[in-house]
Amino acid sequence: MSTQEKIIQLLKVKAVINPSEEIRRSIDFIKDYFKKHPFFKSCVLGISGGQDSTLVGKLAQMAVEELRSEGIEAAFLAVRLPYGEQADEEDALKALEYISPDKTYSVNIKDSVDGMVSALELSGQDISDYNKGNIKARARMIAQYALAGEHSGIVLGTDHAAENITGFFTKHGDGAADIMPIWRLNKRQGKALLKELNCPRELYDKIPTADLEEEKPMIADEAALGLTYNEIDDYLEGKKIPEESRIKLERYFKNSEHKRQLPVTVYDEWWKD
C-alpha cells in the first residue's frame, strides 16, 4: 500500500461524495453525540467568517433545531473571537447572518493574548510573531471552553482532511475540540456542502487564511503551505499530483503526526517510526 493510500484510508476521505448525504451524516453525528451524552445542553463554535466555521456552524444550528423538535434541550452558541479589529469582520457578520445561531457572543482576545506575551517577555523570553499567532489560537479555544463550561456545552471543531494531512492547525488551539463534524471531508467537499446548503457564494469562495501572524496579515493558507488546496484535495481523492507537491505533502503529514496523537503515553509506538 502506498503512502497516499495509507493516508486516505486513515483520514477516511471519499473520492466522490453526495453532498446531501454528507450533510445528513454530519447533522446526525452531532445529534447522536447529544443523545449519547444527555448532560450536554449546547454546542459552541468560534465563527471566523471562513468556509470551515461557516459550514460547521450551519450544520450545528440545523442539528440543534432538529433536536428541539424531538423534545431534546439543545442550543447552538456562536462566538466571535477577534484579536482587536478583524480585517474581514464583514465576512464574519455575513456568516452569522447565514447561520442564524441561537445565541452569539463576542470575546475580544487581544488583552489576554497581549497579557500572556508581556508576562513571558518579563520573564526574559521573547515571543516570535509566529508563536504569538499560536497563542491567539489557544486563547480562542480557552474562551470557547469557558462558554461551554457555563452552558453545559460541547465544543465543536472545524478540522477537515485537507488541514489534517498538512497539520495546518494549532496544537491545543483550533486542533482542540470535543467533536469534529467535517473531519472526513477535504476542502472542495466542504465547499460542495455549503453550495448544497445555499450559502452565499462569497463565503465559500473566500480565499482561506488563518490570519494569525501580524507580520504576514491575511496571508493565504496556500501561500503559507506552498501547496494549493486543489493539489491537496486531488491527493486525498487518490489522484496523481506533481511529484514535488506529493513529496512536500507527505513530509507535512509525517512532521505533523504529533498533532494527531495526543497525548503520548508509554504504550504508544507511532513516534518511534
Side-chain angles (χ1 to χ4, degrees):
M1 185 181 292
S2 69
T3 299
Q4 183 178 13
E5 289 170 332
K6 289 177 182 176
I7 291 172
I8 292 169
Q9 185 179 77
L10 179 68
L11 300 184
K12 314 296 185 188
V13 184
K14 296 178 182 177
V16 179
I17 65 163
N18 180 314
S20 62
E21 289 180 0
E22 296 302 329
I23 289 167
R24 186 71 258 161
R25 189 178 186 190
S26 288
I27 290 172
D28 287 344
F29 170 59
I30 296 169
K31 291 174 63 180
D32 288 346
Y33 197 86
F34 268 96
K35 291 174 180 178
K36 182 69 175 179
H37 305 91
F39 43 86
F40 287 124
K41 306 300 181 187
S42 71
C43 52
V44 179
L45 176 66
I47 301 297
S48 66
Q51 174 184 313
D52 307 327
S53 66
T54 300
L55 175 57
V56 176
K58 187 64 172 180
L59 294 169
Q61 186 61 40
M62 294 170 72
V64 299
E65 287 174 4
E66 288 188 13
L67 285 166
R68 290 198 296 266
S69 73
E70 297 169 19
I72 298 170
E73 182 181 353
F76 173 52
L77 314 179
V79 54
R80 290 284 304 111
L81 296 157
Y83 174 83
E85 293 185 13
Q86 183 174 324
D88 55 351
E89 180 69 18
E90 185 177 339
D91 291 333
L93 296 177
K94 286 180 182 177
L96 288 170
E97 182 179 3
Y98 165 69
I99 296 166
S100 191
D102 292 316
K103 188 163 180 63
T104 302
Y105 294 87
S106 184
V107 180
N108 197 311
I109 63 167
K110 189 175 191 309
D111 287 347
S112 61
V113 171
D114 290 352
M116 177 58 71
V117 171
S118 295
L120 286 161
E121 289 175 343
L122 283 171
S123 78
Q125 179 58 62
D126 290 337
I127 299 298
S128 68
D129 184 48
Y130 179 84
N131 196 3
K132 183 178 178 181
N134 284 329
I135 293 171
K136 292 175 186 176
R138 292 175 182 130
R140 290 184 170 117
M141 194 50 71
I142 289 171
Q144 289 173 79
Y145 270 102
L147 285 169
E150 293 297 327
H151 294 274
S152 301
I154 302 162
V155 174
L156 304 175
T158 62
D159 190 26
H160 52 80
E163 281 187 349
N164 209 322
I165 189 174
T166 56
F168 200 65
F169 57 88
T170 298
K171 196 173 185 177
H172 302 304
D174 51 322
D178 295 313
I179 63 173
M180 300 283 191
I182 61 170
W183 184 83
R184 68 205 180 277
L185 304 174
N186 65 26
K187 198 71 171 178
R188 71 166 62 107
Q189 291 170 346
K191 182 181 291 189
L193 266 63
L194 282 173
K195 287 181 181 179
E196 184 74 13
L197 291 167
N198 297 314
C199 177
R201 186 184 185 94
E202 61 268 26
L203 291 177
Y204 62 72
D205 273 347
K206 181 182 177 182
I207 295 173
T209 172
D211 194 28
L212 293 175
E213 298 176 64
E214 291 163 39
E215 294 173 7
K216 300 176 183 177
M218 298 298 291
I219 183 173
D221 292 355
E222 294 179 330
L225 289 167
L227 291 164
T228 68
Y229 274 116
N230 277 334
E231 289 175 316
I232 297 169
D233 290 350
D234 282 347
Y235 181 94
L236 289 167
E237 292 171 9
K239 300 170 185 173
K240 188 173 181 179
I241 64 172
E243 185 66 6
E244 182 181 353
S245 297
R246 180 194 67 78
I247 292 170
K248 181 180 288 188
L249 190 52
E250 290 177 358
R251 186 186 304 122
Y252 272 131
F253 183 77
K254 183 176 182 180
N255 291 346
S256 62
E257 182 64 20
H258 65 99
K259 294 185 176 184
R260 294 181 293 272
Q261 302 284 348
L262 297 175
V264 178
T265 75
V266 296
Y267 299 103
D268 293 315
E269 298 289 335
W270 64 266
W271 58 275
K272 298 177 182 179
D273 296 336

